[in-house]
Amino acid sequence: MNNKFLLLMICVIFCSCNNKSTQQIDLSGEWYFALDSNDVGITEKWYDQPLAEKIKLPGSLQEQGFGNDVDINTPWTGQIADRSWYTSDVYEKYRQPGNIKIPFWLQPDKHYVGVAWYQCEVQVPSSWNKKYIELELERTHWETSLFVNGEKIGDNNALQTPHRYMINRTGKLLLTIRVDNRLNIPIGINAHSVSDHTQTNWNGIVGNITLTARPTLHIDNIQVYPDVKNKKAEVVVSFAGSSAGKFVQVKIKGKSFNSNVIKELTPVNASVDCKSSQFNCTLDMGEEMLTWSEFEPNLYQLQVEIDTEEGKEMRSTTFGMRDFKVDGTRFSINGTPVFLRGTLECGIFPLTGYASMDAAYWEKIYRRCKEFGLNHVRFHSWCPPRVAFEVADREGIYLQVEAGGWGLVGDGGPADKWFMEESERIVKEFGNHPSFCVLTYGNEPAGGRQVEYLSNFVDHWKAKDKRRLYIAGAGWPYTTNSDFWSAYDPRLNFGIFGGQLNSIINRESPRSDFDYREATARVAPMPSVSHEIGQWCVYPNFKEISKYTGLLKAKNFEIFRETLEEHHLGDLAEKFLHASGRLQTLCYKEEIEAALRTPGFGGFQLLDLHDFPGQGSALVGVLDAFWDLKGYVDGKEYSMFCNRIVPLARMSKMIWSNNEVFKTSLEISYFDKQPLKNASVEWEITDTSQKILASGKSIKDLRQDNCISVSSIEFKLSDIKEPSKLTLTVRVGGTDACNRWNFWVYPTLLDKPQERPYVTSDFNDAVAHAKAGGNVLYCLSKTILKDDKGGTIKVGFSPIFWNTAWSGKQAPHTLGIYCDPGHPIFNAFPNDGYSDYQWWDIVTGSAAIVMDDFPVDYRPLIYHIDDWFTNRKLGLLFEVRVGNGKMMVCGADIIHDLDKRISARQFRYSIEKYMISPEFNPACEIESGVLKELIK
């Protein structure tokens, strides 16, 4: 420490009492502070010296400008799978001082890993003498040591629960807190409890920072164990400390508080021996007991007052009467079947870099989830603060909480002991919250003895506390004692990574009649909840950049925007966002509906409803990192296929000829509060003008289940003479439930004009005919493209999975197509300008032609939307003048098996119709040498 600060006097912070109690001092405000990057503070006794700099608490040091600037040597907490930023010429300008921009996650203004010291002086009133004085630090990151007037009081290594210290002193006290955010316990560098991928590895203290005077014999903890079946609740009040008296008087009363009718409970009064460590009693909840669920999140507040010789103390807790349990391969809440429709929350808080302590922000999160049809949130490898539970209680959200791990377990190392201790702390602190429905150690563990260790973890908790469900880990391992299987293969990709182009949506022609029953049948009967489904990407929303006004900045988005502009495509950013977003939404619809179609399925957990800014920038959300809309889908549309009640249609295909009979079977996924008798299930088929072509209605009793068969539809397509997009809409009368699917009908017989363009897949042949004044349709195969001209770009129907940086360039490499649907080339191939199922046959396996060497203002007719890391001008279809002729270059296969590939046949027909029309008049002349450079 600099000697010039040693003579500085510490100003007394006379902390005024807050409104909670005259027995509490609020320590929020200005503190003194020092960084200890060399970890010399203990040796040099900084705890007994005045610290020089000032900082505000609650808060982190990084958000207040302390720490180090980000550079190429920043010691990030988290794996960087793609390290090209450190070596590639592409990123060289972003490694320069003054222009540091990283692409792999959000970039903090300051970064710091190590020790920091926080200090304040407080006057503790003499009236607190002979009291138990407790310092509470609601949320710290991470380990703390407390010194009072130069004497060490203790240490605490809780990561996600409050740090509490006993200070039995009054008068002027110098409080010095050492905070260390290094990973001294190896819980996993990618765990969202600690990683820079999302909430950052911050250093500081947030939430309540208080000193509280309590009787020497005081309430340590209150736990409430609901018994819904018998309409009772067991209350366990634990005591700590001692009293000079013989007995402590205990008074317990409670009432509901957020329901239309207030229910007061019969009070309990008791005299308890002061030597007892706890008091147990059973509350009669009454015949009109209110229960908690997603449907009616009724809550009770319990108030416990004790009276001893040393004084009185009153503590309260909130609880709900609910029984969340396994029922066969399903879950139930108070006996009502439940289907978990969940998303992850990975500690993503861009403004602060740490979890929000604001109830309004958590209300935004949970209400957005409900708006999009969800009832469940999984906290991936972390546990949120108390306010997150409190708001979830009120909103009726089922939470999966994790003890903070994503790493090695079972090897006997310090993490094994810590995970057990941390889970104990979490349950003690938050166990009464009815929203707290699932507990596990964390995510995707490693280690040869993980099954043994995590099975013991599950056994321990199932024996100790039956208020919730327990699983060994998220994703794996499967253990027979887990309450359900967090399954990684009931999903379109049938696995996490490595699916490449083998997922159903890329491997098979579009259909909606498949499900995941084979995947769920591999284990003993228990609920299956699909792990981290989705992960479908969308193009960045550059308008989002201005929203990063706090610690974290979207420098990754700045890189992506700059590279797009360098490729002269900046004006297409919003169009790429919208087009890729519509494809992303379609993929999520298919993924979720497949889950709802699976018999006896337990639920799913999305990755994610909102963007995941880390691990290479995973733009997988239909919402941004702030839980805001991106503009291409809203909750009304999304909740059509993700909700308590969802109509479903099993279709064997989405593309039809007009000589066929359209067939589908209808079913309902129904998980509302009460069965619905005589439900009217109504359907209609309409065209783009909203003209009703066919309709029908069935009456069905609906109970809580899925795969409820309703009816079959048959509709002759012979009257559809033009290429058409039709829409099947299904509604459940008397509810808001409505779902719809687009399908396409194409004429079987196409007219054959006398004049047709010359069609070839041979480059030299194409150029020769064009130079001679011909009208040429050149079908370019991906196999002949040079590697740097698109030969290595793998195209599927779906967008990129997760992101190519983290997945090792896993295919597919594009984000769908974009075109102008009003262009005359599409007169016989109606479309909306983005990928839908009629494009599947066209884009699957097609060439993504790199056109960066074409004139800067040249635009293809159809774009493949490139990966945001490369932002190349990729063409699927483009027109040029070559010599005296005109050429249309198509990267799709529109030659082979057209009798079976109806969309491809219609697409070619539309192209040829355009090419023989006066409207085919390419404005740009390209030398044949430029085209020649595309091919091997």
Side-chain angles (χ1 to χ4, degrees), residues 190-195 197-199 346-347 380-382 406 612 615:
N190 294 324
H192 302 323
S193 54
V194 295
S195 175
H197 283 293
T198 51
Q199 71 169 300
C346 301
H380 179 308
S381 61
W382 76 294
W406 186 2
F612 183 99
Q615 292 188 11

Side-chain angles (χ1 to χ4, degrees), residues 648-677:
L648 299 164
R650 289 186 184 259
M651 288 180 273
S652 61
K653 57 182 181 178
M654 302 294 190
I655 312 299
W656 302 78
S657 294
N658 67 348
N659 65 347
E660 296 182 284
V661 176
F662 170 80
K663 297 180 180 180
T664 187
S665 58
L666 303 183
E667 60 187 49
I668 303 291
S669 174
Y670 185 87
F671 290 95
D672 210 359
K673 182 183 179 184
Q674 300 289 344
L676 183 61
K677 290 197 175 285

Side-chain angles (χ1 to χ4, degrees), residues 227-233 283-287 289 321:
D227 180 354
V228 173
K229 180 180 179 180
N230 294 307
K231 298 183 179 181
K232 298 182 183 300
L283 298 179
D284 184 350
M285 303 303 296
E287 288 302 313
M289 174 187 73
M321 294 300 294

Side-chain angles (χ1 to χ4, degrees), residues 645-647 666-668 670 675-684 695-702 709-711 729-739:
I645 311 172
V646 179
L666 303 183
E667 60 187 49
I668 303 291
Y670 185 87
L676 183 61
K677 290 197 175 285
N678 298 319
S680 176
V681 181
E682 304 155 4
W683 63 268
E684 63 184 27
S695 63
K697 180 171 70 172
S698 298
I699 303 300
K700 189 75 175 179
D701 288 344
L702 301 178
S709 179
V710 175
S711 64
T729 302
V730 183
R731 299 180 178 86
V732 179
T735 76
D736 294 329
C738 174
N739 201 1

Side-chain angles (χ1 to χ4, degrees), residues 126-133 168 170 214-216 310:
S126 57
S127 59
W128 287 16
N129 192 29
K130 295 183 180 180
K131 295 281 189 180
Y132 177 99
I133 303 172
N168 290 335
T170 57
R214 306 176 65 186
T216 54
E310 291 75 22

Side-chain angles (χ1 to χ4, degrees), residues 87-101:
T87 58
S88 173
D89 291 342
V90 172
Y91 292 111
E92 182 178 3
K93 66 179 179 180
Y94 300 117
R95 297 192 294 266
Q96 303 307 311
N99 192 45
I100 296 290
K101 295 182 181 182

Side-chain angles (χ1 to χ4, degrees), residues 91 124 154 169 179 188 201 287 343 365 384 398 412 447 505 507 516 524 563 698 704 728 805 808 813 825 828 838 931:
Y91 292 111
V124 177
R169 304 182 185 189
V179 179
N201 186 8
E287 288 302 313
T343 187
I365 290 173
Y398 309 121
I505 205 165
R507 185 183 70 238
Y516 304 136
T563 57
S698 298
Q704 289 90 347
L728 169 65
H813 298 148
I825 198 170
Q838 86 272 37
L931 297 176

